[in-house]
Amino acid sequence: MARLFGTDGVRGLANDELTPELALRLASAAAVVFEQNSQNHTRPRAVVGRDPRASGEMLEAAVCAGLAATGVDAIRVGVVPTPAVAFLTADYGADFGVMISASHNPMPDNGIKFFSGGGHKLEDAVEDRIEAAMADDLLRPIGAAVGRVLDAPDAGERYRAHLATALEHRLDGLTVVVDCAHGAASTLAPQAYSDAGATVIAIHAEPDGLNINDDCGSTHMGKLQAAVLEHGADLGLAHDGDADRCLAVDSTGQIVDGDAIMAILATAMSRRKALHDNVLVATVMSNLGLHIAMRDAGINLVTAAVGDRYVLEELRRGGYSLGGEQSGHIVVPDYGTTGDGILTGLLLMEQIAATGTRLAELAGIMTVLPQELINVRVADKHAVAQSDSVKQSVTAAEAELGDTGRVLLRPSGTEQLVRVMVEAPTADAAQSVARRIADVVAGVGS
């Protein structure tokens, strides 16, 4: 039987794969596991947040019912970003947190992810315990022992106040276009940037439950690029549906991805001696250009598996100060326990304001090598990735590229896909090598 939890919680087509019944059972099982871990002898509490997609209302009700039925008080914080749920779990002193979101996925999907006390993502072993507990007969308290569902109207204000503590330099004089993806950041992101002094032009900030991530946000940057040029803005920022990502657009309309944002923040932190052990944590998907730029800046680059949970594990293991992904999940442990798109936007704009340097010039610290990523749908992703013919094609490509590029082949964490990524000195070379490997993968996987 396949594992229920993927790389970032439980995710699937809402009301088909991810049903209210599953959500209720999952929440009840999580309540049992977290209560076993708790040293708190009062009634357990859990923060529950969601993004604005329509199915979130249904799943929120099911999650809150599952918690209450197991004797847990649900603190309902409404539509907020994923990092807000992580922060509020700690800020309210809750035993755990639940976020209902499918992040950058299309509207019909949804997901459920958990945070432990303090707002930390779960280790695999804890997820396995929750999954196992779903098969047990769960105790059902009665009378006054049944949990309650409580609303927290101050949740957004608490989170915005927390974000403000990260800045030492105001953003007055900067004009930013913010693409909110019709998602969880639609109110909070423009407010946070405005609070810090920036002039904010918000686009795709009118969620109706159906339009989240619809040709907008961090996975569809074209409209943001056009808006930055139209308004003559200093930069643009793009979030995804649950606002744990941030990508940027400079004043010329060029995209500045997570690798470049990390390079900017890492060098700034290194200069002021705030980068612990002078280490940046990235994933194996980060561009070779980031490795070269960090080497030239005297910064050590530590790589983790794909997924911000693995970046977080490496950050916690080494006590490091900054990490993230090319996709725009950036983690700054001094201010958050998970990727935070709004925090990233604030810190990036702070560098522009504090140095008086345009984003294009700041991003010039790294040169992006052409990268080609091909997703190949297969029947059994793990068997294909381990096949001899696929391994041989990768070895041959690596020998061809030498130290001028690299090859990364990995199974998707959430779908039956094998991802083939190639970096090379030219786009044509990257495309050619990636296509050759992808053809072998497709042949084996058909």
Side-chain angles (χ1 to χ4, degrees):
M1 179 177 173
R3 189 172 186 266
L4 181 64
F5 283 85
T7 54
D8 201 15
V10 177
R11 196 174 291 185
L13 183 61
N15 217 28
D16 179 5
E17 298 163 314
L18 183 54
T19 63
E21 294 84 357
L22 175 60
L24 189 149
R25 192 74 182 175
L26 186 62
S28 292
V32 170
V33 169
F34 284 113
E35 188 171 10
Q36 291 170 349
N37 291 346
S38 177
Q39 303 300 313
N40 187 354
H41 297 293
T42 62
R43 182 149 67 191
R45 299 188 301 165
V47 170
V48 181
R50 63 181 177 88
D51 72 24
R53 67 189 76 212
S55 61
E57 301 163 2
M58 167 187 74
L59 294 173
E60 177 191 62
V63 165
C64 288
L67 296 174
T70 320
V72 175
D73 287 344
I75 305 173
R76 192 166 52 186
V77 297
V79 175
V80 295
T82 290
V85 170
F87 165 73
L88 292 165
T89 298
D91 202 47
Y92 285 129
D95 295 270
F96 62 103
V98 188
M99 180 65 186
I100 302 163
S101 174
S103 189
H104 61 283
N105 281 28
M107 182 278 295
D109 290 345
N110 217 321
I112 299 174
K113 66 183 80 175
F114 295 95
F115 295 96
S116 64
H120 298 285
K121 286 197 172 183
L122 306 190
E123 296 177 354
D124 289 347
V126 178
E127 292 180 340
D128 290 341
R129 288 176 59 197
I130 293 172
E131 190 166 341
M134 293 176 68
D136 296 338
D137 291 328
L138 303 177
L139 294 176
R140 297 299 188 198
I142 59 174
V146 172
R148 306 296 297 273
V149 179
L150 314 168
D151 287 320
D154 65 339
E157 293 177 10
R158 282 176 179 248
Y159 176 57
R160 282 168 52 204
H162 161 69
L163 291 171
T165 65
L167 294 186
E168 298 179 1
H169 193 288
R170 284 186 57 80
L171 309 180
D172 301 279
L174 288 184
T175 298
V176 59
V177 180
V178 185
D179 186 340
C180 301
H182 295 307
S186 293
T187 298
L188 282 170
Q191 287 178 336
Y193 299 143
S194 180
D195 289 346
T199 298
V200 180
I201 300 163
I203 63 174
H204 305 129
E206 299 177 350
D208 62 9
L210 306 177
N211 57 5
I212 187 169
N213 299 321
D214 186 10
D215 195 25
C216 58
S218 61
T219 54
H220 301 87
M221 301 279 285
K223 292 178 181 177
L224 177 61
Q225 291 173 285
V228 168
L229 296 176
E230 176 188 350
H231 293 284
D234 295 288
L235 76 159
L237 297 172
H239 299 301
D240 60 337
D242 68 338
D244 62 355
R245 295 187 187 194
C246 178
L247 295 178
V249 171
D250 68 27
S251 60
T252 72
Q254 296 299 305
I255 293 175
V256 178
D257 70 8
D259 283 346
I261 293 171
M262 285 191 288
I264 293 167
L265 298 182
T267 52
M269 293 173 69
S270 180
R271 282 195 298 269
R272 64 175 190 270
K273 310 298 183 186
L275 194 66
H276 180 67
D277 279 354
N278 231 27
V279 165
L280 169 66
V281 178
T283 76
V284 292
M285 289 296 290
S286 280
N287 192 273
L288 184 58
L290 178 62
H291 292 251
I292 295 169
M294 293 299 92
R295 182 195 65 202
D296 292 347
I299 295 171
N300 299 313
L301 188 66
V302 172
T303 56
V306 174
D308 67 342
R309 63 180 296 180
Y310 301 113
V311 172
L312 282 160
E313 287 176 6
E314 195 64 40
L315 287 168
R316 293 175 70 179
R317 185 193 66 77
Y320 301 130
S321 311
L322 179 67
E325 297 185 278
Q326 189 182 60
S327 60
H329 287 112
I330 311 295
V331 186
V332 186
D334 283 349
Y335 299 102
T337 57
T338 191
D340 191 326
I342 301 177
L343 174 64
T344 300
L346 288 167
L347 295 176
L348 181 62
M349 285 194 284
E350 183 180 39
Q351 288 308 305
I352 299 171
T355 63
T357 305
R358 297 194 313 159
L359 178 56
E361 295 173 44
L362 292 173
I365 188 173
M366 70 168 280
T367 300
V368 178
L369 269 69
Q371 185 181 85
E372 182 73 8
L373 176 64
I374 301 176
N375 294 320
V376 184
R377 189 162 295 279
V378 296
D380 185 336
K381 58 189 176 183
H382 296 294
V384 171
Q386 293 300 316
S387 73
D388 289 341
S389 56
V390 169
K391 288 181 177 179
Q392 289 167 6
S393 70
V394 170
T395 300
E398 289 174 335
E400 177 183 339
L401 292 169
D403 60 5
T404 67
R406 68 183 183 119
V407 177
L408 179 67
L409 184 142
R410 68 178 188 89
S412 165
T414 57
E415 302 176 83
Q416 283 295 344
L417 299 174
V418 172
R419 306 192 192 280
V420 179
M421 190 272 284
V422 174
E423 291 167 351
T426 68
D428 286 346
Q431 291 171 3
S432 174
V433 173
R435 175 47 58 196
R436 289 204 307 268
I437 299 173
D439 287 345
V440 175
V441 170
V444 173
S446 60

